[in-house]
Amino acid sequence: MRINTKIKIGNIEMKNPVAVASGTFGYGDEFEGLTDIKSLGAIVTKTITLHARVGNKPPRVTETPAGMLNSIGLENPGVERFLKEKMPSLVKFKIPIIVSIAGESTEEYAEIAKRLDSVREIDGIEINISCPNIQTNELIAQNEILTAEVVKSVKSVTKKTVITKLSPNVTNIVSIAKAAESAGTDAISLINTITAMAVDIKTRESRLGNITGGLSGPAIKPIALHMVWKVYRSVGIPIIGMGGIMDWKDALEFILCGAKAVMVGTANFVNPDAAGEIITGIENYLKSARAQDISGLVGKLRV
Amino acid sequence: MAQQIIAKIISQKEVKPGCFKMALLAPAIAKAACPGQFLHIRCGSSSDPLLRRPVSIHRIDKSSLEILYNVVGRGTEILSKKKPGGSVDIIGPLGNGFNIYENSGSVKMLVAGGMGVAPLLGLSEELKRHKTKSIVILGAKTKNHILCGKEFKKLGAEVYIATEDGSMGKKGLATDLAREIIHSKRYKWHEMCIYAAGPTGMIKTLCKLMEGCSLESQVSLEERMACGLGACLGCAVDTQAGYKRVCKDGPVFKLCDIICE
């Protein structure tokens, strides 16, 4: 029996529903030789800002029960150096490239998106409005109006597929998702990390240089699943689910809850071939379940 | 290029209370490795503890590698319970090791604070292969914490010991001894090259000691890391050229490049 794992997010055609999440796969070449990058559904780059960012002071990562905290602070070379230095190696993998972007203002988001729009090899733009590790009082993704403004401004300057990455650090994820949908985003990805802390009682200091960080890994999977499920029932656009996906079973849980595609994040650090193994696991599951098409499983949670 | 393999455990021995030496069968990694590089080890098999642990390569043989590690948390505790014949998931060799080719004619002084000795024994072996003698300074809390003294002596290294409580060798820190040797007339200090590994405090002291001094110094740094591959930017260290990744740009750095505050 032939199985079909192809899916489409906006205009991005993915040969399978498994992508690697922003900030967890560098720009690809770091993982060469440890996994078959060409087999991935898509690669999402580390978030790019208009100008280079140095990031937060160390320590930047620490481990927590079944999870990790990070406070990298969007360290990146800026959009121009990204295009010059990182794009050439990304292109050679011949898989869809989704560039994650973050700005300090609506205009800045639009400016980066406009710059990327002229680059043919880029397939999609993920708007990161939900990084918890930058010094702002409120995340854009915590505010419906700001979320809609940023989505509209990006959409107005690019024909590329736009994915908006939402934050779990909100009271009502559905209202934010709806705001992004109304503003024209082609898809939603969720969840970003959850703002969290860890303390060293010997030194009485935070375990992170930035005091707070973002929690990821298996510890957040139940929260992420719930949010995907809630948003799936409220919007009509595709959802890309992520948060603690470690293996193919986790990925299928997200798909059954409504995710059309999934992104693998922290698992890449534990097992560089995690995404590859998830792709194989999903294919085997489809074969054994005598299911022909992965799309047939999206949102098929029995309730 | 780094590889991920399931390596067979050849031996595992507690060399001092809480300190273990493990030998792993890993021919391809051993062939590619050089002193100062590290392995990224998955200690458990569940999601808690989740992340791999970076561990220095202690010794490199034709087809095997040795690691020397202290039990400091749950990850290393799980690792210490593994038995010969079992296996462990490793990625390696990772990072940049010591550069022994610069100043090849100089006197090599190896300064080890505590577990910092781990990457330096392999370096001493490599120096011996290049017919270069090492001067080794081992510093630890007490004589019970001194590691590898015999191994270094077997390699023909000149070994000096410092203990904080004075129970063995000179009372004080490894850096006190280093200062003494550098300032003595025993060696042409301007021809000296220093390799060091140890706790942050030791690296900072060494930074001060070397200030305004043109000695070539390389230090192996430690930082918490997630991927070990240079992707996550988690293991940042502040350098003259901005933040660098301990996993990919290091773990060995030139001492003069590090910002020690």
Side-chain angles (χ1 to χ4, degrees):
Chain A
M1 187 174 70
R2 284 182 75 89
I3 55 158
N4 180 26
T5 56
K6 284 183 195 157
I7 58 126
K8 215 173 160 193
I9 302 285
N11 290 322
I12 307 171
E13 288 178 5
M14 292 167 58
K15 56 179 170 274
N16 60 63
V18 184
V20 282
S22 175
T24 66
F25 211 74
Y27 303 100
D29 50 350
E30 293 89 346
F31 282 73
E32 270 194 287
L34 295 168
T35 187
D36 179 13
I37 299 170
K38 288 189 169 88
S39 74
L40 300 173
I43 182 169
V44 187
T45 69
K46 171 140 188 77
T47 297
I48 301 299
T49 50
L50 187 58
H51 306 292
R53 280 180 67 97
V54 293
N56 291 331
K57 70 172 184 179
R60 290 176 171 183
V61 292
T62 190
E63 189 168 333
T64 56
M68 64 171 276
L69 286 175
N70 89 78
S71 62
I72 313 294
L74 299 186
E75 179 180 336
N76 79 93
V79 67
E80 289 308 323
R81 267 184 62 207
F82 161 74
L83 290 172
K84 203 173 149 196
E85 295 168 18
K86 308 294 182 185
M87 271 305 285
S89 66
L90 278 168
V91 168
K92 69 174 189 261
F93 302 123
K94 295 187 169 59
I95 56 171
I97 299 166
I98 299 165
V99 179
S100 170
I101 66 165
E104 284 177 15
S105 63
T106 306
E107 293 74 27
E108 224 175 84
Y109 275 97
E111 207 174 328
I112 308 166
K114 200 172 169 185
R115 181 68 187 90
L116 299 179
D117 189 60
S118 59
V119 183
R120 190 176 46 85
E121 293 88 350
I122 294 171
D123 301 87
I125 293 172
E126 183 179 75
I127 315 177
N128 179 3
I129 50 170
S130 47
C131 175
N133 295 324
I134 44 175
Q135 300 295 330
T136 50
N137 292 327
E138 187 187 43
L139 299 174
I140 293 166
Q142 286 169 330
N143 182 314
E144 291 167 42
I145 297 163
L146 289 177
T147 297
E149 267 180 24
V150 170
V151 172
K152 270 183 200 159
S153 69
V154 170
K155 279 295 287 182
S156 70
V157 295
T158 182
K159 289 191 172 60
K160 296 195 189 294
T161 297
V162 171
I163 302 159
T164 306
K165 187 164 182 176
L166 302 186
S167 169
N169 303 303
V170 292
T171 320
N172 185 356
I173 188 74
V174 169
S175 65
I176 306 287
K178 280 184 169 172
E181 183 183 35
S182 303
T185 191
D186 298 296
I188 282 167
S189 57
L190 75 163
I191 60 175
N192 207 322
T193 55
I194 299 173
T195 306
M197 288 179 75
V199 173
D200 184 334
I201 58 164
K202 269 190 208 158
T203 62
R204 301 185 184 179
E205 290 173 338
S206 167
R207 289 188 188 273
L208 295 171
N210 197 47
I211 315 292
T212 64
L215 180 63
S216 64
I220 72 166
K221 193 187 83 176
I223 299 165
L225 271 178
H226 172 234
M227 290 192 161
V228 167
W229 169 238
K230 258 181 118 170
V231 171
Y232 175 71
R233 291 190 294 172
S234 313
V235 301
I237 50 176
I239 296 163
I240 307 171
M242 79 199 84
I245 295 176
M246 300 300 287
D247 58 29
W248 63 270
K249 293 177 198 161
D250 293 334
L252 279 164
E253 284 189 50
F254 275 85
I255 290 167
L256 290 169
C257 282
K260 196 170 179 184
V262 292
M263 285 184 195
V264 180
T266 299
N268 299 320
F269 304 152
V270 182
N271 173 15
D273 191 33
E277 289 176 9
I278 290 168
I279 293 164
T280 311
I282 290 174
E283 286 168 0
N284 290 340
Y285 176 83
L286 287 175
K287 280 177 201 159
S288 64
R290 299 196 166 275
Q292 266 186 322
D293 199 321
I294 187 71
S295 301
L297 291 177
V298 177
K300 290 292 156 44
L301 183 78
R302 288 183 181 147
V303 286
Chain B
M1 189 180 274
Q3 295 185 29
Q4 181 183 4
I5 63 159
I6 306 298
K8 192 179 163 193
I9 299 168
I10 302 166
S11 64
Q12 161 102 290
K13 194 182 164 197
E14 188 168 13
V15 290
K16 297 270 177 182
C19 178
F20 291 78
K21 191 191 274 187
M22 181 189 268
L24 296 162
L25 186 66
I29 297 177
K31 200 178 169 192
C34 71
Q37 289 187 296
F38 70 97
L39 301 177
H40 215 22
I41 302 180
R42 187 152 191 213
C43 299
S45 55
S46 73
S47 55
D48 193 22
L50 179 67
L51 300 174
R52 287 171 181 268
R53 297 291 185 270
V55 183
S56 293
I57 295 173
H58 181 50
R59 289 189 62 241
I60 304 163
D61 220 326
K62 273 181 190 147
S63 59
S64 65
L65 293 163
E66 262 180 27
I67 55 169
L68 183 72
Y69 63 97
N70 258 341
V71 172
V72 287
R74 286 186 49 229
T76 39
E77 192 186 335
I78 292 167
L79 194 62
S80 73
K81 302 243 164 75
K82 291 185 184 280
K83 303 266 184 271
S87 61
V88 60
D89 177 347
I90 61 172
I91 301 174
L94 295 171
N96 291 313
F98 293 104
N99 182 350
I100 66 161
Y101 304 104
E102 278 179 27
N103 302 333
S104 54
S106 60
V107 180
K108 312 289 187 186
M109 185 160 89
L110 280 52
V111 186
M115 281 307 293
V117 72
L120 295 177
L121 184 68
L123 174 65
S124 190
E125 287 179 329
E126 183 69 11
L127 289 170
K128 194 187 176 190
R129 278 192 280 275
H130 285 77
K131 302 192 182 350
T132 308
K133 192 177 163 181
S134 334
I135 302 162
V136 179
I137 301 173
L138 302 174
K141 277 183 185 162
T142 72
K143 65 176 181 183
N144 293 327
H145 294 87
I146 293 289
L147 291 156
C148 306
K150 280 181 194 163
E151 287 90 335
F152 280 112
K153 278 180 189 158
K154 261 189 196 169
L155 292 167
E158 212 171 295
V159 179
Y160 298 88
I161 289 170
T163 51
E164 285 174 41
D165 68 347
S167 55
M168 191 183 219
K170 185 116 179 165
K171 188 175 179 179
L173 303 169
T175 42
D176 297 332
L177 261 179
R179 184 186 293 117
E180 205 178 298
I181 293 170
I182 292 166
H183 290 163
S184 76
K185 306 277 181 210
R186 262 177 285 175
Y187 306 99
K188 290 179 182 169
W189 64 267
H190 56 278
E191 287 179 0
M192 201 177 257
C193 177
I194 296 175
Y195 299 93
T200 313
M202 187 193 105
I203 305 292
K204 282 183 184 172
T205 311
L206 209 57
C207 264
K208 279 186 197 145
L209 187 62
M210 296 291 136
E211 228 166 32
C213 184
S214 59
L215 294 194
E216 162 83 19
S217 310
Q218 296 173 32
V219 288
S220 174
L221 300 184
E222 274 188 318
E223 187 54 78
R224 289 193 175 270
M225 54 181 75
C227 72
L229 304 171
C232 72
L233 312 182
C235 57
V237 59
D238 207 5
T239 75
Q240 306 292 350
Y243 284 127
K244 294 275 181 191
R245 303 161 296 182
V246 170
C247 70
K248 189 90 176 180
D249 304 311
V252 176
F253 291 88
K254 283 189 175 180
L255 186 64
C256 58
D257 289 342
I258 304 298
I259 294 174
C260 291
E261 279 169 358

